[in-house]
Coordinates of all heavy atoms in Angstrom, one line a residue:
M37 N -11.9 -113.3 -22.4 CA -11.4 -112.2 -21.7 C -9.9 -112.0 -22.0 O -9.2 -113.0 -21.9 CB -11.6 -112.3 -20.1 CG -11.2 -111.2 -19.3 SD -11.2 -111.3 -17.6 CE -12.8 -110.6 -17.3
Y38 N -9.5 -110.8 -22.3 CA -8.2 -110.6 -22.6 C -7.2 -110.2 -21.5 O -7.8 -109.7 -20.4 CB -8.0 -109.4 -23.6 CG -8.6 -109.9 -24.9 CD1 -9.8 -109.7 -25.3 CD2 -7.7 -110.5 -25.9 CE1 -10.3 -110.1 -26.7 CE2 -8.2 -110.8 -27.1 CZ -9.5 -110.6 -27.5 OH -9.9 -111.0 -28.7
K39 N -5.9 -110.4 -21.5 CA -5.0 -110.0 -20.5 C -4.3 -108.8 -21.0 O -4.0 -108.8 -22.2 CB -4.0 -111.1 -20.1 CG -4.7 -112.2 -19.3 CD -3.8 -113.3 -18.9 CE -4.6 -114.5 -18.3 NZ -3.7 -115.4 -17.8
L40 N -3.9 -107.9 -20.2 CA -3.3 -106.7 -20.7 C -1.8 -106.6 -20.2 O -1.4 -107.0 -19.0 CB -3.9 -105.4 -20.2 CG -5.4 -105.2 -20.5 CD1 -6.0 -104.0 -19.9 CD2 -5.6 -105.2 -22.0
K41 N -0.9 -106.1 -21.1 CA 0.5 -105.8 -20.8 C 0.6 -104.4 -21.1 O -0.1 -103.8 -22.1 CB 1.4 -106.7 -21.6 CG 1.5 -108.2 -21.2 CD 2.4 -109.0 -22.0 CE 3.9 -108.4 -22.1 NZ 4.8 -109.3 -22.8
Y42 N 1.6 -103.8 -20.4 CA 1.8 -102.3 -20.7 C 3.2 -102.0 -21.0 O 4.1 -102.6 -20.4 CB 1.5 -101.6 -19.4 CG 0.2 -101.9 -18.7 CD1 0.1 -103.0 -17.8 CD2 -1.0 -101.3 -19.0 CE1 -1.0 -103.3 -17.2 CE2 -2.2 -101.6 -18.5 CZ -2.2 -102.7 -17.6 OH -3.4 -103.0 -17.0
T43 N 3.5 -101.1 -21.9 CA 4.8 -100.7 -22.2 C 5.2 -99.6 -21.2 O 4.3 -99.0 -20.6 CB 5.0 -100.0 -23.6 OG1 4.0 -98.9 -23.7 CG2 4.5 -100.9 -24.7
K44 N 6.5 -99.3 -21.1 CA 6.9 -98.3 -20.1 C 6.4 -96.9 -20.6 O 6.0 -96.0 -19.7 CB 8.4 -98.2 -20.1 CG 9.0 -99.4 -19.3 CD 10.5 -99.3 -19.3 CE 11.2 -100.4 -18.7 NZ 10.9 -100.9 -17.3
E45 N 6.2 -96.7 -21.8 CA 5.7 -95.5 -22.4 C 4.2 -95.3 -21.9 O 3.8 -94.2 -21.5 CB 5.7 -95.4 -23.9 CG 5.5 -94.1 -24.6 CD 6.4 -93.1 -24.4 OE1 7.5 -93.4 -24.0 OE2 6.1 -91.9 -24.7
F46 N 3.5 -96.3 -22.1 CA 2.0 -96.3 -21.6 C 2.0 -96.0 -20.2 O 1.3 -95.0 -19.6 CB 1.3 -97.6 -21.9 CG -0.1 -97.6 -21.5 CD1 -1.0 -97.2 -22.3 CD2 -0.5 -98.1 -20.2 CE1 -2.4 -97.2 -21.9 CE2 -1.7 -98.1 -19.8 CZ -2.8 -97.6 -20.6
E47 N 2.8 -96.7 -19.3 CA 2.7 -96.4 -17.8 C 3.1 -95.0 -17.5 O 2.4 -94.4 -16.7 CB 3.6 -97.4 -17.1 CG 3.1 -98.8 -17.2 CD 4.0 -99.8 -16.6 OE1 5.3 -99.6 -16.6 OE2 3.5 -100.9 -16.2
K48 N 4.2 -94.5 -18.2 CA 4.6 -93.1 -17.9 C 3.6 -92.1 -18.3 O 3.2 -91.2 -17.5 CB 6.0 -92.8 -18.7 CG 6.5 -91.4 -18.6 CD 7.7 -91.1 -19.4 CE 7.1 -90.8 -20.8 NZ 7.9 -90.0 -21.6
N49 N 2.9 -92.3 -19.4 CA 1.9 -91.3 -19.9 C 0.6 -91.4 -19.1 O -0.2 -90.5 -19.0 CB 1.7 -91.5 -21.4 CG 2.9 -91.0 -22.2 OD1 3.6 -90.1 -21.7 ND2 3.1 -91.5 -23.3
L50 N 0.3 -92.7 -18.6 CA -1.0 -92.8 -17.8 C -0.8 -92.0 -16.5 O -1.7 -91.3 -16.1 CB -1.2 -94.3 -17.5 CG -2.3 -94.6 -16.7 CD1 -3.6 -94.2 -17.3 CD2 -2.3 -96.1 -16.3
K51 N 0.5 -92.0 -15.9 CA 0.7 -91.3 -14.7 C 0.6 -89.8 -14.9 O 0.3 -89.1 -13.9 CB 2.1 -91.6 -14.2 CG 2.1 -93.1 -13.6 CD 3.5 -93.4 -13.1 CE 3.6 -94.8 -12.6 NZ 4.9 -95.2 -12.2
S52 N 0.8 -89.3 -16.1 CA 0.8 -87.9 -16.4 C -0.8 -87.3 -16.5 O -1.0 -86.1 -16.5 CB 1.5 -87.5 -17.6 OG 0.8 -88.0 -18.9
L53 N -1.7 -88.3 -16.6 CA -3.1 -87.9 -16.6 C -3.6 -87.5 -15.3 O -3.0 -87.9 -14.3 CB -3.9 -89.0 -17.1 CG -3.6 -89.5 -18.7 CD1 -4.5 -90.7 -19.0 CD2 -3.8 -88.3 -19.7
T54 N -4.7 -86.7 -15.2 CA -5.2 -86.5 -13.9 C -5.9 -87.7 -13.3 O -6.1 -88.6 -13.9 CB -6.4 -85.3 -14.1 OG1 -7.6 -85.9 -14.8 CG2 -6.0 -84.1 -14.8
T55 N -6.1 -87.6 -12.0 CA -6.7 -88.7 -11.2 C -8.1 -89.0 -11.9 O -8.4 -90.2 -12.0 CB -6.9 -88.3 -9.7 OG1 -5.6 -87.9 -9.2 CG2 -7.5 -89.5 -9.0
Q56 N -8.9 -88.1 -12.1 CA -10.1 -88.2 -12.8 C -10.0 -89.1 -14.2 O -10.7 -89.9 -14.4 CB -10.9 -87.0 -13.0 CG -12.3 -87.2 -13.5 CD -13.2 -85.8 -13.5 OE1 -12.7 -84.8 -13.0 NE2 -14.3 -85.8 -14.0
E57 N -9.0 -88.6 -15.0 CA -8.8 -89.2 -16.3 C -8.4 -90.7 -16.0 O -8.8 -91.6 -16.8 CB -7.8 -88.4 -17.0 CG -8.4 -87.1 -17.6 CD -7.3 -86.2 -18.1 OE1 -6.0 -86.3 -17.8 OE2 -7.6 -85.3 -19.0
Q58 N -7.5 -91.0 -15.1 CA -7.0 -92.3 -14.8 C -8.1 -93.2 -14.3 O -8.2 -94.4 -14.7 CB -6.0 -92.3 -13.6 CG -4.6 -91.7 -14.2 CD -3.6 -91.6 -13.0 OE1 -3.7 -92.3 -12.0 NE2 -2.7 -90.7 -13.2
K59 N -9.1 -92.7 -13.6 CA -10.2 -93.4 -13.3 C -11.2 -93.8 -14.5 O -11.7 -94.9 -14.6 CB -11.1 -92.7 -12.2 CG -10.6 -92.7 -10.9 CD -11.4 -91.9 -9.9 CE -10.6 -91.8 -8.5 NZ -11.4 -91.0 -7.6
L60 N -11.4 -92.8 -15.4 CA -12.0 -93.1 -16.6 C -11.3 -94.2 -17.5 O -12.0 -95.0 -18.0 CB -12.2 -91.8 -17.3 CG -13.0 -91.8 -18.6 CD1 -14.4 -92.2 -18.3 CD2 -13.0 -90.4 -19.3
V61 N -10.0 -94.1 -17.4 CA -9.2 -95.1 -18.3 C -9.5 -96.4 -17.6 O -9.7 -97.5 -18.2 CB -7.7 -94.8 -18.2 CG1 -6.9 -95.9 -18.8 CG2 -7.4 -93.5 -19.0
A62 N -9.4 -96.6 -16.3 CA -9.6 -97.9 -15.6 C -11.0 -98.5 -15.9 O -11.1 -99.7 -16.3 CB -9.5 -97.7 -14.1
N63 N -12.0 -97.6 -16.0 CA -13.4 -98.0 -16.3 C -13.4 -98.5 -17.7 O -14.1 -99.5 -18.1 CB -14.4 -96.9 -16.1 CG -14.7 -96.8 -14.6 OD1 -14.4 -97.6 -13.8 ND2 -15.0 -95.4 -14.2
K64 N -12.8 -97.7 -18.7 CA -12.8 -98.2 -20.0 C -12.1 -99.5 -20.3 O -12.5 -100.3 -21.1 CB -12.3 -97.1 -21.0 CG -13.1 -95.8 -21.0 CD -14.4 -96.1 -21.8 CE -15.3 -94.9 -22.0 NZ -16.4 -95.0 -23.0
L65 N -11.0 -99.6 -19.6 CA -10.2 -100.8 -19.7 C -11.0 -102.2 -19.2 O -10.7 -103.2 -19.8 CB -8.9 -100.8 -19.0 CG -7.9 -99.8 -19.7 CD1 -6.6 -99.8 -18.8 CD2 -7.6 -100.3 -21.1
K66 N -11.9 -101.9 -18.3 CA -12.7 -103.1 -17.9 C -13.6 -103.5 -19.0 O -13.8 -104.7 -19.2 CB -13.6 -102.7 -16.7 CG -12.8 -102.5 -15.4 CD -13.7 -102.1 -14.3 CE -12.9 -101.8 -13.1 NZ -13.7 -101.2 -11.9
L67 N -14.2 -102.6 -19.9 CA -14.9 -102.9 -21.0 C -14.0 -103.5 -22.1 O -14.5 -104.5 -22.7 CB -15.5 -101.7 -21.6 CG -16.8 -101.0 -21.0 CD1 -17.2 -99.8 -21.6 CD2 -18.0 -102.0 -20.9
F68 N -12.8 -103.0 -22.2 CA -11.9 -103.3 -23.2 C -11.4 -104.8 -23.1 O -11.4 -105.5 -24.1 CB -10.7 -102.4 -23.2 CG -9.7 -102.6 -24.2 CD1 -9.9 -102.4 -25.5 CD2 -8.4 -103.2 -23.9 CE1 -8.9 -102.6 -26.5 CE2 -7.5 -103.5 -24.8 CZ -7.7 -103.2 -26.2
I69 N -11.2 -105.2 -21.9 CA -10.7 -106.7 -21.8 C -11.9 -107.7 -22.1 O -11.5 -108.7 -22.4 CB -10.1 -107.0 -20.4 CG1 -11.0 -106.7 -19.2 CG2 -8.8 -106.2 -20.2 CD1 -10.6 -107.2 -17.9
Q70 N -13.1 -107.2 -21.9 CA -14.3 -108.1 -22.3 C -14.4 -108.2 -23.8 O -14.7 -109.1 -24.4 CB -15.6 -107.5 -21.7 CG -15.5 -107.6 -20.2 CD -15.5 -109.1 -19.7 OE1 -16.0 -109.9 -20.1 NE2 -14.7 -109.2 -18.6
N71 N -14.3 -106.9 -24.5 CA -14.5 -106.8 -25.9 C -13.8 -105.6 -26.5 O -14.2 -104.6 -26.3 CB -16.0 -106.7 -26.2 CG -16.3 -106.5 -27.7 OD1 -15.4 -106.5 -28.5 ND2 -17.7 -106.2 -28.0
P72 N -12.6 -105.8 -27.0 CA -11.8 -104.6 -27.5 C -12.6 -103.8 -28.6 O -12.2 -102.7 -28.8 CB -10.6 -105.3 -28.2 CG -10.5 -106.6 -27.4 CD -11.9 -107.0 -27.2
F73 N -13.6 -104.3 -29.1 CA -14.4 -103.5 -30.1 C -15.9 -103.2 -29.7 O -16.7 -102.8 -30.3 CB -14.6 -104.4 -31.4 CG -13.2 -104.5 -32.1 CD1 -12.3 -105.6 -31.8 CD2 -12.8 -103.5 -33.0 CE1 -11.1 -105.7 -32.4 CE2 -11.6 -103.7 -33.7 CZ -10.7 -104.7 -33.3
Y74 N -15.9 -103.0 -28.3 CA -17.1 -102.6 -27.7 C -17.4 -101.1 -28.3 O -16.5 -100.4 -28.4 CB -17.0 -102.5 -26.2 CG -18.2 -102.1 -25.4 CD1 -19.1 -103.2 -25.0 CD2 -18.7 -100.8 -25.1 CE1 -20.3 -103.0 -24.4 CE2 -19.8 -100.7 -24.4 CZ -20.7 -101.7 -24.0 OH -21.8 -101.5 -23.4
P75 N -18.7 -101.0 -28.7 CA -19.0 -99.6 -29.5 C -18.5 -98.4 -28.9 O -18.0 -97.5 -29.6 CB -20.6 -99.7 -29.7 CG -20.9 -101.3 -29.5 CD -19.9 -101.8 -28.5
S76 N -18.7 -98.2 -27.6 CA -18.3 -96.8 -27.0 C -16.8 -96.6 -27.1 O -16.4 -95.5 -26.8 CB -18.9 -96.7 -25.5 OG -18.2 -97.6 -24.7
L77 N -16.0 -97.7 -27.2 CA -14.6 -97.5 -27.4 C -14.1 -97.0 -28.7 O -12.9 -96.4 -28.8 CB -13.9 -98.8 -27.1 CG -14.2 -99.5 -25.7 CD1 -13.5 -100.8 -25.6 CD2 -13.7 -98.5 -24.6
R78 N -15.0 -97.0 -29.7 CA -14.7 -96.5 -31.0 C -13.3 -97.0 -31.5 O -12.5 -96.3 -32.0 CB -14.8 -94.9 -31.1 CG -16.2 -94.5 -30.8 CD -16.3 -93.0 -30.8 NE -15.4 -92.2 -29.9 CZ -15.6 -91.9 -28.7 NH1 -16.8 -92.5 -28.2 NH2 -14.8 -91.2 -28.0
T79 N -13.1 -98.3 -31.4 CA -11.8 -98.9 -31.8 C -11.8 -98.9 -33.3 O -12.7 -99.2 -34.0 CB -11.7 -100.4 -31.2 OG1 -11.9 -100.4 -29.8 CG2 -10.5 -101.0 -31.6
K80 N -10.5 -98.6 -33.8 CA -10.2 -98.7 -35.3 C -8.7 -98.9 -35.5 O -8.0 -98.7 -34.5 CB -10.6 -97.4 -35.9 CG -9.9 -96.2 -35.5 CD -10.4 -94.9 -36.1 CE -9.6 -93.7 -35.6 NZ -10.0 -92.5 -36.2
K81 N -8.4 -99.4 -36.6 CA -7.0 -99.7 -37.0 C -6.4 -98.4 -37.3 O -7.0 -97.5 -37.9 CB -7.1 -100.6 -38.3 CG -5.8 -101.4 -38.4 CD -6.1 -102.5 -39.4 CE -4.9 -103.3 -39.9 NZ -3.7 -103.4 -39.3
V82 N -5.1 -98.2 -36.9 CA -4.3 -97.1 -37.2 C -3.9 -97.1 -38.6 O -3.1 -98.2 -38.9 CB -3.1 -96.8 -36.1 CG1 -2.4 -95.6 -36.6 CG2 -3.7 -96.7 -34.8
Q83 N -4.1 -96.1 -39.5 CA -3.8 -96.2 -40.8 C -2.2 -96.0 -40.9 O -1.7 -95.2 -40.1 CB -4.4 -95.1 -41.6 CG -5.9 -95.2 -41.5 CD -6.5 -95.3 -43.0 OE1 -5.9 -95.1 -44.0 NE2 -7.7 -95.8 -43.0
G84 N -1.7 -96.8 -41.8 CA -0.1 -96.7 -42.0 C 0.7 -97.4 -41.0 O 2.0 -97.5 -41.2
I85 N 0.2 -98.0 -40.0 CA 0.9 -98.8 -39.1 C 0.3 -100.3 -39.0 O -0.8 -100.4 -38.6 CB 1.0 -98.2 -37.6 CG1 1.4 -96.7 -37.8 CG2 1.9 -98.9 -36.8 CD1 1.3 -96.0 -36.4
D86 N 1.2 -101.3 -39.2 CA 0.6 -102.6 -39.2 C 0.3 -103.1 -37.9 O 0.9 -102.9 -36.9 CB 1.6 -103.6 -39.9 CG 1.8 -103.5 -41.3 OD1 0.9 -102.9 -42.0 OD2 2.8 -104.0 -41.9
N87 N -0.9 -103.6 -37.7 CA -1.4 -104.3 -36.6 C -1.5 -103.5 -35.4 O -1.4 -104.0 -34.1 CB -0.5 -105.6 -36.3 CG -0.5 -106.5 -37.4 OD1 -1.6 -106.8 -38.0 ND2 0.7 -107.0 -37.7
V88 N -1.7 -102.2 -35.5 CA -1.8 -101.3 -34.3 C -3.2 -100.7 -34.4 O -3.7 -100.3 -35.4 CB -0.8 -100.1 -34.3 CG1 -1.1 -99.2 -33.2 CG2 0.6 -100.8 -34.1
F89 N -3.9 -100.6 -33.2 CA -5.2 -100.1 -33.2 C -5.3 -99.0 -32.2 O -4.4 -98.8 -31.5 CB -6.1 -101.3 -32.6 CG -6.4 -102.4 -33.6 CD1 -5.3 -103.5 -33.5 CD2 -7.4 -102.5 -34.5 CE1 -5.5 -104.5 -34.3 CE2 -7.5 -103.7 -35.3 CZ -6.6 -104.7 -35.2
E90 N -6.4 -98.2 -32.3 CA -6.6 -97.1 -31.4 C -8.0 -97.2 -30.8 O -9.0 -97.6 -31.5 CB -6.5 -95.8 -32.3 CG -6.9 -94.5 -31.6 CD -7.0 -93.4 -32.5 OE1 -6.1 -92.9 -33.1 OE2 -8.1 -92.8 -32.7
M91 N -8.2 -96.9 -29.6 CA -9.4 -96.9 -28.9 C -9.6 -95.5 -28.2 O -8.6 -94.9 -27.8 CB -9.5 -98.0 -27.8 CG -8.7 -97.9 -26.7 SD -9.1 -99.1 -25.4 CE -10.2 -98.1 -24.3
S92 N -10.8 -95.1 -28.0 CA -11.1 -93.8 -27.3 C -11.5 -94.1 -25.9 O -12.3 -95.0 -25.6 CB -12.3 -93.1 -27.9 OG -11.9 -92.8 -29.3
V93 N -10.8 -93.4 -25.0 CA -11.3 -93.3 -23.6 C -12.4 -92.3 -23.5 O -13.4 -92.5 -22.9 CB -10.1 -93.0 -22.7 CG1 -10.6 -92.8 -21.3 CG2 -9.0 -94.0 -22.7
N94 N -12.2 -91.1 -24.0 CA -13.3 -90.1 -24.3 C -12.9 -89.5 -25.6 O -12.2 -89.9 -26.3 CB -13.3 -89.1 -23.0 CG -12.0 -88.4 -22.8 OD1 -11.2 -88.3 -23.7 ND2 -11.7 -88.0 -21.6
M95 N -13.6 -88.4 -25.7 CA -13.4 -87.6 -27.1 C -12.0 -87.1 -27.2 O -11.6 -86.6 -28.3 CB -14.4 -86.5 -27.2 CG -15.8 -87.1 -27.4 SD -16.0 -88.3 -28.7 CE -15.9 -87.4 -30.2
D96 N -11.2 -87.0 -26.1 CA -9.8 -86.5 -26.2 C -8.8 -87.5 -26.0 O -7.7 -87.4 -26.5 CB -9.7 -85.3 -25.2 CG -8.4 -84.7 -25.3 OD1 -7.9 -84.5 -26.4 OD2 -7.8 -84.3 -24.2
I97 N -8.9 -88.5 -25.1 CA -7.9 -89.3 -24.8 C -7.9 -90.6 -25.6 O -8.9 -91.3 -25.7 CB -8.0 -89.7 -23.1 CG1 -7.7 -88.4 -22.4 CG2 -6.9 -90.7 -22.9 CD1 -7.9 -88.7 -21.0
R98 N -6.9 -91.0 -26.1 CA -6.7 -92.3 -26.9 C -5.7 -93.3 -26.4 O -4.8 -92.8 -25.8 CB -6.4 -91.9 -28.5 CG -7.1 -90.9 -29.0 CD -8.4 -91.5 -29.5 NE -9.3 -90.6 -30.3 CZ -10.2 -89.8 -29.8 NH1 -10.3 -89.7 -28.6 NH2 -10.8 -89.0 -30.7
I99 N -5.9 -94.6 -26.7 CA -4.9 -95.5 -26.4 C -4.6 -96.4 -27.5 O -5.4 -96.7 -28.4 CB -5.5 -96.5 -25.3 CG1 -5.8 -95.9 -23.9 CG2 -4.5 -97.8 -25.1 CD1 -6.5 -96.8 -22.9
L100 N -3.2 -96.5 -27.8 CA -2.8 -97.2 -28.9 C -2.4 -98.6 -28.3 O -1.8 -98.7 -27.4 CB -1.5 -96.7 -29.6 CG -1.6 -95.3 -30.3 CD1 -0.3 -94.8 -30.7 CD2 -2.7 -95.3 -31.4
W101 N -2.7 -99.7 -29.1 CA -2.6 -101.1 -28.7 C -2.5 -102.0 -29.8 O -2.7 -101.6 -31.1 CB -3.7 -101.5 -27.8 CG -5.1 -101.5 -28.4 CD1 -6.0 -100.5 -28.5 CD2 -5.7 -102.6 -29.0 NE1 -7.1 -100.9 -29.2 CE2 -6.9 -102.2 -29.5 CE3 -5.3 -104.0 -29.2 CZ2 -7.9 -103.1 -30.2 CZ3 -6.2 -104.8 -29.9 CH2 -7.4 -104.3 -30.3
K102 N -2.0 -103.3 -29.6 CA -1.8 -104.3 -30.6 C -2.1 -105.6 -29.8 O -1.8 -105.7 -28.6 CB -0.6 -104.2 -31.3 CG 0.7 -104.6 -30.6 CD 1.8 -104.5 -31.5 CE 3.1 -104.8 -30.7 NZ 4.3 -104.7 -31.5
Y103 N -2.5 -106.6 -30.6 CA -2.4 -108.0 -30.1 C -1.1 -108.5 -30.0 O -0.3 -108.2 -31.0 CB -3.3 -108.9 -31.1 CG -4.7 -108.5 -31.1 CD1 -5.3 -108.0 -32.2 CD2 -5.6 -108.9 -30.1 CE1 -6.6 -107.7 -32.3 CE2 -6.9 -108.7 -30.1 CZ -7.5 -108.1 -31.2 OH -8.8 -107.8 -31.3
E104 N -0.6 -109.1 -28.9 CA 0.7 -109.6 -28.8 C 0.6 -111.1 -29.1 O 1.5 -111.5 -29.9 CB 1.2 -109.4 -27.4 CG 2.7 -109.8 -27.3 CD 3.4 -109.2 -26.1 OE1 3.2 -109.8 -25.0 OE2 3.9 -108.0 -26.2
S105 N -0.3 -111.8 -28.5 CA -0.5 -113.3 -28.8 C -1.7 -113.7 -28.1 O -2.0 -113.3 -27.0 CB 0.7 -114.0 -28.3 OG 0.8 -114.0 -27.0
G106 N -2.4 -114.5 -28.8 CA -3.6 -115.2 -28.3 C -4.6 -114.2 -27.5 O -5.2 -113.3 -28.1
I107 N -4.5 -114.3 -26.2 CA -5.4 -113.5 -25.5 C -4.7 -112.2 -24.8 O -5.2 -111.7 -23.8 CB -6.1 -114.3 -24.2 CG1 -5.0 -114.9 -23.4 CG2 -7.0 -115.3 -24.9 CD1 -5.7 -115.4 -22.1
I108 N -3.5 -111.9 -25.2 CA -2.6 -110.9 -24.6 C -2.7 -109.7 -25.6 O -2.4 -109.7 -26.8 CB -1.2 -111.2 -24.3 CG1 -1.2 -112.5 -23.3 CG2 -0.4 -110.2 -23.8 CD1 0.2 -112.9 -23.1
I109 N -3.1 -108.5 -25.0 CA -3.0 -107.3 -25.7 C -2.0 -106.4 -25.0 O -1.9 -106.1 -23.8 CB -4.5 -106.6 -25.7 CG1 -5.4 -107.4 -26.5 CG2 -4.3 -105.1 -26.1 CD1 -6.8 -106.9 -26.4
L110 N -1.1 -105.7 -25.9 CA -0.1 -104.9 -25.4 C -0.5 -103.4 -25.6 O -0.9 -103.0 -26.8 CB 1.2 -105.1 -26.2 CG 2.4 -104.2 -25.8 CD1 2.8 -104.5 -24.3 CD2 3.6 -104.4 -26.8
L111 N -0.7 -102.7 -24.5 CA -1.0 -101.2 -24.5 C 0.3 -100.5 -24.8 O 1.2 -100.5 -24.0 CB -1.7 -100.8 -23.3 CG -2.9 -101.6 -22.9 CD1 -3.5 -101.2 -21.6 CD2 -4.0 -101.5 -24.0
L112 N 0.3 -99.8 -25.9 CA 1.5 -99.2 -26.4 C 1.7 -97.8 -25.8 O 2.7 -97.3 -25.5 CB 1.6 -99.1 -28.0 CG 1.5 -100.5 -28.6 CD1 1.2 -100.3 -30.0 CD2 2.7 -101.2 -28.3
D113 N 0.6 -97.0 -25.9 CA 0.7 -95.5 -25.5 C -0.7 -95.0 -25.1 O -1.7 -95.6 -25.6 CB 1.3 -94.6 -26.6 CG 1.9 -93.4 -26.2 OD1 1.9 -93.1 -25.0 OD2 2.4 -92.6 -27.1
I114 N -0.8 -94.0 -24.4 CA -2.0 -93.4 -24.0 C -1.7 -91.8 -24.0 O -0.6 -91.4 -23.7 CB -2.5 -93.8 -22.7 CG1 -3.9 -93.1 -22.3 CG2 -1.5 -93.5 -21.6 CD1 -4.6 -93.7 -21.2
G115 N -2.7 -91.0 -24.4 CA -2.5 -89.6 -24.4 C -3.7 -88.8 -24.9 O -4.6 -89.4 -25.5
H116 N -3.5 -87.5 -24.8 CA -4.6 -86.7 -25.5 C -4.4 -86.8 -27.0 O -3.3 -86.8 -27.5 CB -4.4 -85.2 -25.0 CG -4.8 -85.1 -23.5 ND1 -6.0 -85.0 -23.0 CD2 -3.9 -85.2 -22.4 CE1 -6.0 -84.9 -21.7 NE2 -4.7 -85.1 -21.3
H117 N -5.5 -86.7 -27.6 CA -5.6 -87.0 -29.1 C -4.6 -86.1 -29.9 O -3.8 -86.5 -30.7 CB -7.0 -86.7 -29.6 CG -7.1 -87.2 -31.0 ND1 -7.3 -86.3 -32.1 CD2 -7.3 -88.4 -31.5 CE1 -7.4 -87.1 -33.2 NE2 -7.5 -88.3 -32.9
K118 N -4.4 -84.7 -29.6 CA -3.5 -84.0 -30.3 C -2.0 -84.3 -30.0 O -1.2 -83.9 -30.7 CB -3.7 -82.4 -29.9 CG -3.4 -82.2 -28.4 CD -3.7 -80.7 -28.1 CE -3.3 -80.4 -26.6 NZ -3.4 -79.1 -26.3
N119 N -1.7 -85.1 -28.9 CA -0.3 -85.4 -28.5 C 0.1 -86.8 -28.9 O 1.3 -87.0 -29.0 CB -0.1 -85.2 -27.0 CG -0.3 -83.9 -26.5 OD1 -0.1 -82.8 -27.3 ND2 -0.8 -83.6 -25.3
I120 N -0.9 -87.7 -29.1 CA -0.5 -89.1 -29.3 C -0.1 -89.1 -30.8 O -0.7 -88.7 -31.7 CB -1.6 -90.1 -28.9 CG1 -1.1 -91.4 -28.7 CG2 -2.8 -90.1 -29.9 CD1 -1.9 -92.3 -27.8
L121 N 1.1 -89.9 -30.9 CA 1.6 -89.9 -32.3 C 1.7 -91.4 -32.7 O 1.7 -92.3 -31.8 CB 3.2 -89.4 -32.3 CG 3.2 -87.9 -31.9 CD1 4.8 -87.7 -31.9 CD2 2.6 -87.0 -32.9
G122 N 1.6 -91.7 -34.0 CA 1.7 -93.0 -34.4 C 3.2 -93.5 -34.0 O 4.0 -92.8 -33.8
L123 N 3.3 -94.8 -34.0 CA 4.7 -95.4 -33.7 C 5.6 -95.3 -34.8 O 5.3 -95.4 -35.9 CB 4.4 -96.9 -33.3 CG 3.3 -97.0 -32.1 CD1 3.1 -98.5 -31.8 CD2 4.0 -96.4 -30.9

């Protein structure tokens, strides 16, 4: 099981989502800490950025993340697909 850390950017952008979207994120993160590559998360490496991955909350909302050390994953950013930019 992984432990999660959050950047200020992630926390700020999570708060900008609707309450329903935030609940969906919480449910997906429960799966994520068990297995970051769980099939419904559609996890993939972000092209052109070393060691950064993207997971899907739904078909529109994405989370950018990276391994920080051992069992710690740093959640970098969250947002709607059209708004989330590479780092």
Side-chain angles (χ1 to χ4, degrees):
M37 186 184 259
Y38 289 91
K39 294 183 181 186
L40 301 177
K41 285 179 59 177
Y42 312 91
T43 63
K44 290 186 188 292
E45 188 75 13
F46 179 89
E47 291 175 334
K48 179 185 84 157
N49 290 334
L50 178 62
K51 289 178 185 175
S52 72
L53 298 176
T54 67
T55 302
Q56 185 174 352
E57 290 170 333
Q58 290 177 22
K59 287 179 184 176
L60 184 58
V61 169
N63 288 332
K64 291 292 184 164
L65 288 177
K66 288 177 187 175
L67 287 174
F68 181 71
I69 61 172
Q70 297 295 321
N71 177 6
F73 291 90
Y74 190 84
S76 70
L77 300 175
R78 296 182 300 280
T79 302
K80 64 182 182 182
K81 204 162 170 16
V82 175
Q83 300 243 342
I85 305 174
D86 287 343
N87 303 318
V88 174
F89 296 83
E90 173 185 298
M91 68 169 267
S92 297
V93 173
N94 60 21
M95 294 306 287
D96 184 38
I97 298 172
R98 304 287 188 267
I99 295 175
L100 294 178
W101 62 274
K102 68 178 181 178
Y103 292 106
E104 189 165 86
S105 64
I107 61 166
I108 299 174
I109 291 177
L110 179 63
L111 301 179
L112 302 167
D113 201 358
I114 186 169
H116 293 275
H117 192 255
K118 66 180 181 175
N119 297 332
I120 200 155
L121 302 173
L123 303 173

